[in-house]
Amino acid sequence: MGKRIAAQHGWAAAKAFKAYAMTDADRAVLAQCALDLLAIFPPAAGSSALISAALAVSLERRMTAPIHVVAGTLSVEGVPVFGDGQPFDGAQVFGTSNPDWDGHVWIMIGPHIVDIAIFRTAYSAQGPARLARHVDLTFGPGKGLYVDHWKKTPRVGLHYEPHHVLSADEVTSLMGDAFHIIKRTKPV
């Protein structure tokens, strides 16, 4: 993961990623930002990129932690549910508004996976049945945010395979699309 971050953001960013340890203050900010976003972002199929970018932007404003938005494959019990495990051209996929892509997007805060889309997707009617069943059996109902050390995700049957670390411009573009969705659904 450090090499992917270095390729997109430089070696200083990769070193910060590897050295980061989450504090209680960072956990509190993360929880509050996630709750705030989940309250205003409408449930929508295929929105992991948009909601993850929106959370990353919110966190970057309130934390000094190394925050990176990552795209790749999410597998459940060894079977891909989003993405196919194959590398892809991230600049091409995320160079357009509303990317048409079947992978998954999450946030890395240092070595921690932060996935705001997994539960929302699993609980939706459009979510893959394998993901819904796994989430129901492993986590239960009513969850909103998955946070774990990336090396420990296999113990709960999840595997996040990174293929692309988004650039600041790609995150900004996704945030713009997320803002339009939020604005469209916000009551007048």
Side-chain angles (χ1 to χ4, degrees):
M1 189 67 203
K3 288 180 184 179
R4 291 186 187 281
I5 290 170
Q8 187 63 261
H9 300 281
W11 284 109
K15 283 183 179 181
F17 161 80
K18 288 183 175 189
Y20 175 76
M22 193 174 286
T23 66
D24 287 342
D26 287 347
R27 283 183 191 84
V29 168
L30 173 58
Q32 189 59 57
C33 286
L35 285 170
D36 293 347
L37 183 58
L38 288 168
I40 62 170
F41 196 93
S47 64
S48 72
L50 302 180
I51 196 167
S52 294
L55 180 59
V57 169
S58 178
L59 292 171
E60 286 172 345
R61 292 177 180 159
R62 298 177 64 192
M63 294 171 68
T64 58
I67 299 167
H68 300 284
V69 179
V70 180
T73 300
L74 173 61
S75 297
V76 172
E77 299 295 342
V79 178
V81 292
F82 292 109
D84 58 9
Q86 299 300 312
F88 61 91
D89 184 347
Q92 180 184 2
V93 169
F94 294 102
T96 63
S97 185
N98 296 315
D100 182 24
W101 172 68
D102 73 341
H104 191 63
V105 177
W106 62 91
I107 297 170
M108 296 293 299
I109 302 179
H112 301 277
I113 296 274
V114 176
D115 192 344
I116 193 165
I118 189 172
F119 295 123
R120 193 170 261 207
T121 302
Y123 299 145
S124 77
Q126 298 85 16
R130 176 179 293 279
L131 177 65
R133 186 173 43 258
H134 183 77
V135 163
D136 184 50
L137 293 172
T138 304
F139 301 102
K143 305 298 186 251
L145 181 69
Y146 175 66
V147 180
D148 205 348
H149 193 282
W150 71 275
K151 288 184 178 180
K152 294 181 180 179
T153 61
R155 70 176 158 68
V156 292
L158 300 174
H159 177 70
Y160 290 82
E161 184 177 348
H163 296 296
H164 178 69
V165 177
L166 279 70
S167 69
D169 289 343
E170 291 165 341
V171 173
T172 299
S173 176
L174 291 171
M175 179 59 212
D177 293 342
F179 175 75
H180 290 300
I181 288 174
I182 293 167
K183 188 175 176 183
R184 245 190 345 248
T185 59
K186 191 175 180 181
V188 182

